[in-house]
Amino acid sequence: MLPINGPGTAVYRVTVPAQPELIYDAIRNAGGRVTVSTRAVVEALLDGDRHLTADDIIAETERRTPGIAESTIYRVLQRLDELGVVEHVHSGHHATFYHLRDLGHAHLVCTGCGAIIDVPDRVLATVSTTVARDYGFTVDLHHTALNGRCADCRER
Amino acid sequence: MLPINGPGTAVYRVTVPAQPELIYDAIRNAGGRVTVSTRAVVEALLDGDRHLTADDIIAETERRTPGIAESTIYRVLQRLDELGVVEHVHSGHHATFYHLRDLGHAHLVCTGCGAIIDVPDRVLATVSTTVARDYGFTVDLHHTALNGRCADCRER
DNA sequence: ATTGCTGCAAACCTTTTGCAAGAAT
DNA sequence: ATTCTTGCAAAAGGTTTGCAGCAAT
């Protein structure tokens, strides 16, 4: 187990290796069951675009393993989120997206084109530190994206 | 007109004085019409809790000026937002909230108790600068709240 | 007199839930 | 065998939209 977030946010949960079987072991170790839907969702996240909305995941699993109910996908995502396998990110106007938990990065989401840019926690470490010091507030930069305009959209 | 946001985010729009009549003038100057619903919303925001959800505003205007349709409130909020009089903030799981635009502050929203803490832009200036420098991305810290846990909730 | 704003009701979209049946451990 | 997970269908929230009539400029 590793501290997954930045300074001031030591959240200890399962570590997620980038291989299906290891992920499934992690899920079982954490008390979860590995079902057809579990596999479908994990595979979609592994293969996919890295930043998938629930809708993306529903479409992707439908392609791979037709017949899974949408509500099941939501429940799987919620469960994997609680287990620490998956992380969800709120991105303002845009849809919430999901990705496998990794060593820690925040997201910039462009309000113009919707582009999602990963930013290593290290880059934003001072925010966490400052806010913790001045406000006693433990920021979780993984849980909400930072909005703004990407370089391309800014030019327009 | 003042640059309202932090470094790298010079958004020039109407400046909002904290008095109804001046706000209405600003709206008219920006090409908007001042209607009964406009006044109701502005008054709710001026008197209210500073951080009101659409639902809060609907309830508040209903108390002051009964009979305004919900959809009208949403349309007024949208219009005032476009005019730069109002700002809306996405706060993760919690409802989007609105407030009159002022000289610039970001928000911390506690995922535990929902508390909203204002943070002057100055405190977070380095984020904007860093992200602008390293990613060419112009962050707008007003548009999405930072989530985390407040001091109280952290103790529990 | 224009043109924008409003009320009403219905549509929308994403996410959640209850329940009985089915599957993983 | 037990307990968790699933499919279905319905509900729930929050927000948006079409339209004809009304109101601000």
Side-chain angles (χ1 to χ4, degrees):
Chain A
M1 305 274 195
L2 292 171
I4 298 175
N5 295 339
T9 45
V11 176
Y12 295 85
R13 292 200 272 190
V14 296
T15 325
V16 179
Q19 292 169 40
E21 290 311 326
L22 297 178
I23 293 180
Y24 302 146
D25 288 345
I27 293 172
R28 287 196 193 88
N29 290 339
R33 286 182 186 181
V34 175
T35 66
V36 173
S37 344
T38 311
R39 292 177 199 275
V41 169
V42 169
E43 285 167 19
L45 288 170
L46 275 172
D47 277 22
D49 189 276
R50 290 193 18 66
H51 300 109
L52 302 176
T53 63
D55 217 50
D56 292 336
I57 296 170
I58 288 165
E60 191 57 29
T61 55
E62 185 59 28
R63 275 201 22 240
R64 294 162 182 273
T65 320
I68 301 175
E70 302 200 353
S71 59
T72 300
I73 303 294
Y74 279 103
R75 283 190 269 225
V76 169
L77 285 171
Q78 185 178 302
R79 209 158 350 112
L80 296 185
D81 196 323
E82 284 161 4
L83 293 176
V85 171
V86 157
E87 214 166 46
H88 71 273
V89 182
H90 299 284
S91 58
H93 279 308
H94 306 268
T96 297
F97 57 84
Y98 299 80
H99 62 83
L100 292 169
R101 181 180 289 262
D102 62 16
L103 281 188
H105 64 271
H107 302 87
L108 309 176
V109 173
C110 178
T111 49
C113 64
I116 302 173
I117 301 169
D118 289 348
V119 180
D121 283 350
R122 166 179 36 79
V123 174
L124 301 175
T126 55
V127 194
S128 313
T129 314
T130 306
V131 171
R133 171 166 44 76
D134 296 354
Y135 296 86
F137 191 96
T138 307
V139 179
D140 176 4
L141 288 171
H142 296 175
H143 191 231
T144 37
L146 300 181
N147 279 354
R149 302 220 122 212
C150 70
D152 286 352
C153 286
R154 190 164 42 170
E155 285 170 18
R156 287 170 212 143
Chain B
M1 304 273 195
L2 292 171
I4 297 175
N5 295 339
T9 46
V11 177
Y12 294 85
R13 292 200 273 189
V14 297
T15 325
V16 179
Q19 292 168 41
E21 290 312 324
L22 297 177
I23 294 180
Y24 303 146
D25 288 344
I27 293 173
R28 289 197 191 87
N29 289 340
R33 287 182 186 181
V34 176
T35 66
V36 172
S37 344
T38 312
R39 292 176 199 276
V41 169
V42 169
E43 284 167 20
L45 288 170
L46 275 173
D47 277 22
D49 190 278
R50 288 193 22 64
H51 300 110
L52 301 176
T53 63
D55 219 49
D56 292 338
I57 296 171
I58 288 165
E60 190 57 28
T61 54
E62 185 60 26
R63 275 201 22 239
R64 297 161 181 273
T65 321
I68 300 175
E70 302 201 354
S71 59
T72 299
I73 303 293
Y74 278 104
R75 283 191 269 224
V76 168
L77 285 171
Q78 185 177 303
R79 207 152 357 108
L80 296 185
D81 197 323
E82 285 161 5
L83 293 176
V85 171
V86 157
E87 215 165 44
H88 71 272
V89 182
H90 299 284
S91 57
H93 279 308
H94 306 268
T96 298
F97 57 85
Y98 298 80
H99 62 83
L100 293 169
R101 183 181 287 262
D102 62 17
L103 281 186
H105 64 271
H107 302 87
L108 310 175
V109 173
C110 178
T111 49
C113 64
I116 303 173
I117 301 170
D118 289 348
V119 181
D121 283 351
R122 167 179 34 81
V123 174
L124 302 174
T126 55
V127 194
S128 313
T129 314
T130 307
V131 171
R133 170 167 45 76
D134 295 355
Y135 296 86
F137 191 96
T138 306
V139 178
D140 177 4
L141 288 172
H142 297 173
H143 191 230
T144 37
L146 301 180
N147 279 356
R149 302 220 122 211
C150 70
D152 285 351
C153 285
R154 191 164 40 169
E155 285 170 18
R156 285 169 213 144

